[in-house]
Amino acid sequence: MKLYFKWILLLIFSFVLFVAFGEKPRLIYPEVIEPSTSGLGGVPTTYYKGNSVLFSNPALFAFTKKHTSVTAFNFKIDSLAYSALKYIQAKDRQTNLLNLLAHTNSLCTNAAFTGPISFSFIDKNFGFGMFNTTRAIALLPSLSSLFSLVGEDIVITGGYGASVFEREEHLISLGIQMKGFFQVYAYMNSTLFGSAYTIFEKKLKGFPVVLQAGFGFDLGFAYKYRDIFTLALTCKDLYSPVFLSYYENYKDFLDSKPNTKASYKTFMPNVNLGFSVKAISEGYFKNIYSLIFYMDLKNMFSFIPSIRKNYLLNFAFSGELVLHRVLSLQFGISELYPQFGIGLDFTYFNLNLSVYGKELALDPWKRPLINIEIGIHFDYNKH
């Protein structure tokens, strides 16, 4: 047992070293929309329901049961997208856009859609999945500048987790996960008038294209006491190299003619710590199937980079109440904003809706953003 704890301490120490000395320029991180966990403020570190274990902690594969997801259609949009559309449709567009920028300091909006490629297979100790996401992002800091991006993410991931210590009601597990991703984006970074010229005059020929491809490793640790308490630690992107190639336009991309040599960067490691408590176990009450509370400290070494956000934004507290094994209610606080989600389980398909707040600034309550996610996914072999 002492040997196991020595290895665990060595892993934790390695996490700290990689985070402290591994800061790299920020890249476009691949995204998978999952409204079934967004109501919890993102996937908790100890959450392994369905295929969510692929996005939480590879050590939790030691606790999973067989689950197959065939496909999904999940959509996300934020409140600023609606506001921008309202101002654009107004008669006096320029005045309304100036008012919008005055109230928000800048306009930053995005939308994303995951599917129809959304397949995953989870079994005891291992799992894998493949997902595609279409994304659109627009950033308008002022009338003189516009950055926009439209593209596609393809993510393939798989992991393995197993118990390394088990005695009576105590269990310790370790896990490792590998992922590969392929991203293609058409982007534009110009003045507002230059962007308008590119869109209406040059059309697709004026959009540069970036190809981003890479792979990464995640490590995880989990401790479980009976089926009541779970403590987990995970390091996302322990080592995740990314290779970027830039093209003048989509024709050069199709002809494989980059305008510069491929560049190399890495994602910054992200260490998350969390625990969960099962307040009501399955079958204890007739109508209430289960109630679980989650507490997380996300990106716990975020104070190391030169640009630091308020550390309070890293905490998340959430809960999930399941009624009759059909209706699930999610609630919580993440980044100091409320989170809410609702799900309906129809055995072979699930419907999910979540509404949650995010902070765009480095300090709380400076630039709130409301996000809405809705989705349907088809699966079987559920327990």
Side-chain angles (χ1 to χ4, degrees):
M1 181 174 178
K2 291 182 179 179
L3 180 61
Y4 290 133
F5 279 103
K6 287 181 180 179
W7 278 105
I8 292 168
L9 290 174
L10 179 61
L11 286 173
I12 295 173
F13 183 66
S14 300
F15 291 171
V16 176
L17 285 180
F18 268 96
V19 173
F21 300 105
E23 182 180 355
K24 299 294 181 180
R26 187 174 181 180
L27 302 169
I28 303 171
Y29 200 84
E31 183 178 21
V32 176
I33 307 303
E34 189 50 70
S36 63
T37 55
S38 296
L40 298 169
V43 187
T45 313
T46 56
Y47 195 87
Y48 55 94
K49 182 179 177 181
N51 65 356
S52 61
V53 66
L54 293 171
F55 312 104
S56 59
N57 185 344
L60 300 178
F61 282 115
F63 312 145
T64 56
K65 297 180 180 180
K66 195 170 185 178
H67 179 97
T68 304
S69 180
V70 180
T71 188
F73 303 91
N74 300 325
F75 178 70
K76 180 183 83 170
I77 194 170
D78 60 49
S79 57
L80 283 179
Y82 172 77
S83 298
L85 180 63
K86 181 178 66 175
Y87 282 106
I88 290 172
Q89 291 177 338
K91 293 182 179 180
D92 192 351
R93 295 182 180 87
Q94 185 174 358
T95 302
N96 281 279
L97 187 57
L98 284 170
N99 292 332
L100 176 64
L101 291 173
H103 285 90
T104 61
N105 296 323
S106 64
L107 176 62
C108 177
T109 184
N110 72 92
F113 177 80
T114 293
I117 302 175
S118 183
F119 170 81
S120 64
F121 176 79
I122 311 295
D123 207 342
K124 181 70 173 179
N125 297 120
F126 77 97
F128 63 89
M130 181 176 181
F131 310 88
N132 82 294
T133 302
T134 305
R135 304 168 67 181
I137 301 173
L139 175 61
L140 184 62
S142 64
L143 288 176
S144 62
S145 178
L146 172 66
F147 173 79
S148 58
L149 177 149
V150 179
E152 187 79 12
D153 297 352
I154 296 179
V155 178
I156 301 175
T157 182
Y160 177 83
S163 61
V164 295
F165 172 80
E166 188 170 0
R167 180 177 296 177
E168 296 179 351
E169 298 174 333
H170 304 272
L171 188 149
I172 295 175
S173 65
L174 298 176
I176 185 171
Q177 186 166 339
M178 184 175 180
K179 55 194 171 187
F181 50 90
F182 179 88
Q183 301 165 279
V184 179
Y185 292 105
Y187 67 96
M188 182 168 51
N189 191 5
S190 180
T191 65
L192 188 61
F193 297 106
S195 300
Y197 174 78
T198 300
I199 294 172
F200 296 108
E201 299 295 332
K202 300 181 70 175
K203 298 182 179 179
L204 290 178
K205 295 181 180 179
F207 286 90
V209 175
V210 57
L211 169 64
Q212 183 172 298
F215 62 92
F217 294 93
D218 301 343
L219 292 179
F221 158 82
Y223 163 77
K224 191 173 186 179
Y225 173 70
R226 297 172 63 180
D227 199 29
I228 300 175
F229 176 80
T230 304
L231 174 70
L233 175 72
T234 182
C235 180
K236 300 288 187 181
D237 302 304
L238 180 66
Y239 177 64
S240 295
V242 185
F243 303 91
L244 299 98
S245 299
Y246 296 91
Y247 303 84
E248 289 289 344
N249 49 55
Y250 77 98
K251 288 186 177 180
D252 287 349
F253 169 73
L254 295 176
D255 295 335
S256 299
K257 295 180 179 179
N259 56 8
T260 59
K261 290 184 178 180
S263 59
Y264 162 82
K265 297 178 181 179
T266 60
F267 286 122
M268 184 177 178
N270 186 350
V271 180
N272 301 322
L273 175 67
F275 69 88
S276 61
V277 177
K278 182 174 288 188
I280 299 177
S281 298
E282 291 84 349
Y284 192 82
F285 291 102
K286 182 178 180 180
N287 298 323
I288 301 176
Y289 180 70
S290 66
L291 174 62
I292 305 177
F293 294 103
Y294 302 91
M295 181 73 183
D296 283 88
L297 173 57
K298 303 178 180 180
N299 197 10
M300 57 190 298
F301 294 104
S302 62
F303 58 85
I304 294 177
S306 56
I307 301 178
R308 304 180 182 91
K309 68 176 183 179
N310 192 302
Y311 208 65
L312 291 174
L313 298 176
N314 294 3
F315 287 92
F317 172 78
S318 58
E320 183 176 38
L321 174 66
V322 180
L323 304 173
H324 297 286
R325 301 191 66 174
V326 174
L327 174 65
S328 64
L329 300 175
Q330 299 173 342
F331 51 90
I333 296 177
S334 180
E335 298 188 12
L336 298 181
Y337 290 109
Q339 322 282 313
F340 176 77
I342 185 171
L344 290 172
D345 188 341
F346 295 99
T347 306
Y348 293 107
F349 71 94
N350 287 47
L351 295 174
N352 295 281
L353 170 68
S354 61
V355 180
Y356 58 96
K358 298 284 287 185
E359 180 57 65
L360 297 179
L362 298 177
D363 294 305
W365 308 307
K366 296 293 185 181
R367 295 190 59 200
L369 182 67
I370 299 174
N371 295 267
I372 301 174
E373 294 186 14
I374 186 171
I376 178 173
H377 63 88
F378 300 86
D379 49 21
Y380 60 96
N381 293 330
K382 297 190 295 186
H383 294 268

